[in-house]
Amino acid sequence: MNISEKAKGIIDSCRFCWMCRHICPIGNATGQERNTARARALCASLVVRGAQTPDDIKDNLYECTLCGACTNNCMTGWDPKVFVREMRRELILEGKTPDYIMTLLENYFSKGNVYGKEICPCLNEVLQDKKSDTLVFMGEDAIYQSPESVKNVAKLLGKAKVDYTFGNLFDAGSSIYFLTGPTAEALASAKKFASYVNGFKTVVVYDPVDLSLMLHEYKEWGIEISAKVI
């Protein structure tokens, strides 16, 4: 697979030492050894060395939530999420992405969200692109999967007499980045979102996944957000 030297270095640095084995929430939930971070690194190592094919580990790569628990507990100080993301990108480029992931991607590009859902009519009065200095960005999961959360936030801000805008014109790029890794499509989504939010003074981010993307990956990609992000 055509992954970076950084990703290969992280794979090679894994000592398969078991120190992160008990940390992975997926491994704990499934009881499958392959879902642990050490086993995933071992499988990735076998692919890099030609002992396995990407097809052999594609499901394993998508069973990772990229939560970072293994990163926080890695004795070598490396970040396994890096090679997982890059290998997902290569699966996309090689046309070997699992069908269930392709369904999510088709939903994203046709409906604007991985769930393939329309926005609940119950949010019509809430999600108004009105003029204000503060953008409240709820994110894809809340808007499409938990509209009640959006309404509750609106009630709270209303009682606090905060003048705000609920932004749903663009996504931050989190879902496409999660599914495809560092692709041109993920970068394009991030750039569109940054261009939109820079029309505000403050951006309040509801979903920690979106927040992490803006504070970390955006900087690596050279995408600047002039608004204050909290």
Side-chain angles (χ1 to χ4, degrees), residues 86-173:
E86 289 196 21
M87 285 185 151
R88 287 182 182 179
R89 178 195 62 201
E90 293 306 301
L91 288 174
I92 292 282
L93 296 177
E94 294 176 13
K96 296 178 180 178
T97 308
D99 290 342
Y100 53 88
I101 298 299
M102 288 306 300
T103 298
L104 297 177
L105 289 171
E106 288 166 5
N107 287 340
Y108 178 83
F109 288 113
S110 64
K111 296 288 189 178
N113 66 93
V114 296
Y115 304 108
K117 291 183 175 182
E118 301 292 339
I119 295 177
C120 177
C122 63
L123 297 181
N124 287 344
E125 293 184 6
V126 174
L127 296 175
Q128 296 179 4
D129 191 34
K130 63 182 181 179
K131 187 67 176 177
S132 74
D133 290 334
T134 301
L135 172 71
V136 177
F137 184 70
M138 296 296 296
E140 187 175 320
D141 290 347
I143 289 176
Y144 293 100
Q145 293 290 85
S146 181
E148 199 63 33
S149 298
V150 183
K151 290 193 290 184
N152 286 338
V153 169
K155 290 178 183 177
L156 179 65
L157 294 173
K159 288 186 177 181
K161 301 187 184 305
V162 175
D163 187 23
Y164 66 93
T165 300
F166 262 140
N168 68 311
L169 297 181
F170 302 101
D171 73 284

Side-chain angles (χ1 to χ4, degrees), residues 5-223:
E5 291 302 316
K6 178 181 179 180
K8 291 178 182 177
I10 293 172
I11 294 170
D12 287 339
S13 297
C14 182
R15 301 181 303 199
F16 317 121
C17 67
W18 299 73
M19 291 301 293
C20 66
R21 183 173 179 268
H22 63 293
I23 295 297
C24 178
I26 304 302
N28 288 337
T30 65
Q32 297 293 316
E33 181 63 27
R34 74 175 195 168
N35 289 139
T36 64
R38 63 171 296 278
R40 187 170 291 109
L42 178 58
C43 290
S45 178
L46 292 172
V47 169
V48 170
R49 287 163 174 74
Q52 282 189 313
T53 69
D55 274 331
D56 294 327
I57 70 165
K58 62 183 180 181
D59 290 316
N60 193 2
L61 290 172
Y62 276 102
E63 286 162 354
C64 173
T65 67
L66 300 175
C67 69
C70 56
T71 303
N72 295 334
N73 288 272
C74 180
M75 294 297 101
T76 58
W78 294 99
D79 185 359
K81 300 194 304 297
V82 172
F83 70 76
V84 172
R85 286 192 175 112
E86 289 196 21
M87 285 185 151
R88 287 182 182 179
R89 178 195 62 201
E90 293 306 301
L91 288 174
I92 292 282
L93 296 177
E94 294 176 13
K96 296 178 180 178
T97 308
D99 290 342
Y100 53 88
I101 298 299
M102 288 306 300
T103 298
L104 297 177
L105 289 171
E106 288 166 5
N107 287 340
Y108 178 83
F109 288 113
S110 64
K111 296 288 189 178
N113 66 93
V114 296
Y115 304 108
K117 291 183 175 182
E118 301 292 339
I119 295 177
C120 177
C122 63
L123 297 181
N124 287 344
E125 293 184 6
V126 174
L127 296 175
Q128 296 179 4
D129 191 34
K130 63 182 181 179
K131 187 67 176 177
S132 74
D133 290 334
T134 301
L135 172 71
V136 177
F137 184 70
M138 296 296 296
E140 187 175 320
D141 290 347
I143 289 176
Y144 293 100
Q145 293 290 85
S146 181
E148 199 63 33
S149 298
V150 183
K151 290 193 290 184
N152 286 338
V153 169
K155 290 178 183 177
L156 179 65
L157 294 173
K159 288 186 177 181
K161 301 187 184 305
V162 175
D163 187 23
Y164 66 93
T165 300
F166 262 140
N168 68 311
L169 297 181
F170 302 101
D171 73 284
S174 299
S175 57
I176 189 71
Y177 183 50
F178 179 85
L179 294 174
T180 69
T183 57
E185 289 79 6
L187 185 62
S189 291
K191 286 182 177 178
K192 283 184 180 179
F193 180 77
S195 178
Y196 170 60
V197 301
N198 281 338
F200 298 87
K201 292 182 179 179
T202 304
V203 182
V204 181
V205 185
Y206 183 76
D207 192 322
V209 174
D210 292 320
L211 180 63
S212 177
L213 187 76
M214 294 176 208
L215 296 181
H216 301 292
E217 275 73 20
Y218 276 29
K219 290 183 179 179
E220 289 187 11
W221 298 340
I223 299 174

